[in-house]
Amino acid sequence: MDCTFKTELGNFNYRVGLIILNGRKVLMARNPNEKRLFYYSVGGRVNFGERMDQAALRELKEETGIDCEIERLACIHENFFTDDDGVPFHEISCFFTVKKNEELLQIPDGYLTDKGPKGEYLKWIDLDNCDDVTVYPEFLRTVDFEKAKEFKHFITMD
């Protein structure tokens, strides 16, 4: 069971994300059925009773079919937003970097994740040349997680 719940004021999500880098390219996901065109980090919700690092590895395996190792917990993102249906969300996401893995770095653009009929796919986004692409979370554009080793805390209020 996902660690997500509804309240009278809106919904709460507890998520993990993976920062999968190949130089200044980051592996991101996209669902073509979404109303808005945007790319988001590989990852998903944490299950109740599941450690967040284990959740990150599970999500990575589900979306790529590849086993990897966590490098480090890189940041926490507190996100307050309203979804396309007008529902307010309070979301906590913990982002991990992964150790370099040749198999992971060979994933081709357009790789379909194992998400069934949704059609979610993966793409390498060049962070230095992506002004025409919406990337979520936005901080991926500005922080070089291969160089910046200190833990980060981001807050987004939409």
Side-chain angles (χ1 to χ4, degrees), residues 94-137:
C94 301
F95 285 85
F96 293 88
T97 58
V98 295
K99 292 184 180 176
K100 292 289 183 195
N101 176 314
E102 282 305 313
E103 189 178 7
L104 193 60
L105 297 178
Q106 298 304 315
I107 289 177
D109 284 348
Y111 179 88
L112 291 174
T113 67
D114 189 22
K115 295 288 186 181
K118 289 179 13 179
E120 185 179 62
Y121 65 89
L122 302 178
K123 180 176 177 69
W124 290 99
I125 303 293
D126 184 342
L127 295 171
D128 292 330
N129 296 301
C130 65
D131 291 339
D132 59 338
V133 176
T134 302
V135 172
Y136 179 80

Side-chain angles (χ1 to χ4, degrees), residues 17-123:
L18 293 126
I19 302 169
I20 304 165
L21 298 169
N22 187 4
R24 284 292 293 156
K25 291 185 177 181
V26 63
L27 188 63
M28 305 208 73
R30 180 172 185 282
N31 183 337
N33 300 312
E34 292 286 334
K35 294 176 186 174
R36 295 176 289 130
L37 170 63
F38 64 99
Y39 290 89
Y40 46 91
S41 64
V42 173
R45 292 184 177 96
V46 177
N47 291 327
F48 184 82
E50 183 178 38
R51 290 183 358 210
M52 60 187 179
D53 60 331
Q54 292 171 335
L57 292 174
R58 174 184 51 77
E59 287 288 341
L60 182 62
K61 177 76 172 187
E62 287 176 6
E63 295 184 22
T64 67
I66 299 170
D67 290 310
C68 291
E69 291 182 54
I70 295 293
E71 182 178 59
R72 67 187 176 91
L73 176 61
C75 64
I76 290 179
H77 182 211
E78 293 183 77
N79 190 18
F80 301 86
F81 66 95
T82 301
D83 72 5
D84 290 337
D85 295 322
V87 178
F89 275 78
H90 177 172
E91 185 173 80
I92 306 290
S93 298
C94 301
F95 285 85
F96 293 88
T97 58
V98 295
K99 292 184 180 176
K100 292 289 183 195
N101 176 314
E102 282 305 313
E103 189 178 7
L104 193 60
L105 297 178
Q106 298 304 315
I107 289 177
D109 284 348
Y111 179 88
L112 291 174
T113 67
D114 189 22
K115 295 288 186 181
K118 289 179 13 179
E120 185 179 62
Y121 65 89
L122 302 178
K123 180 176 177 69

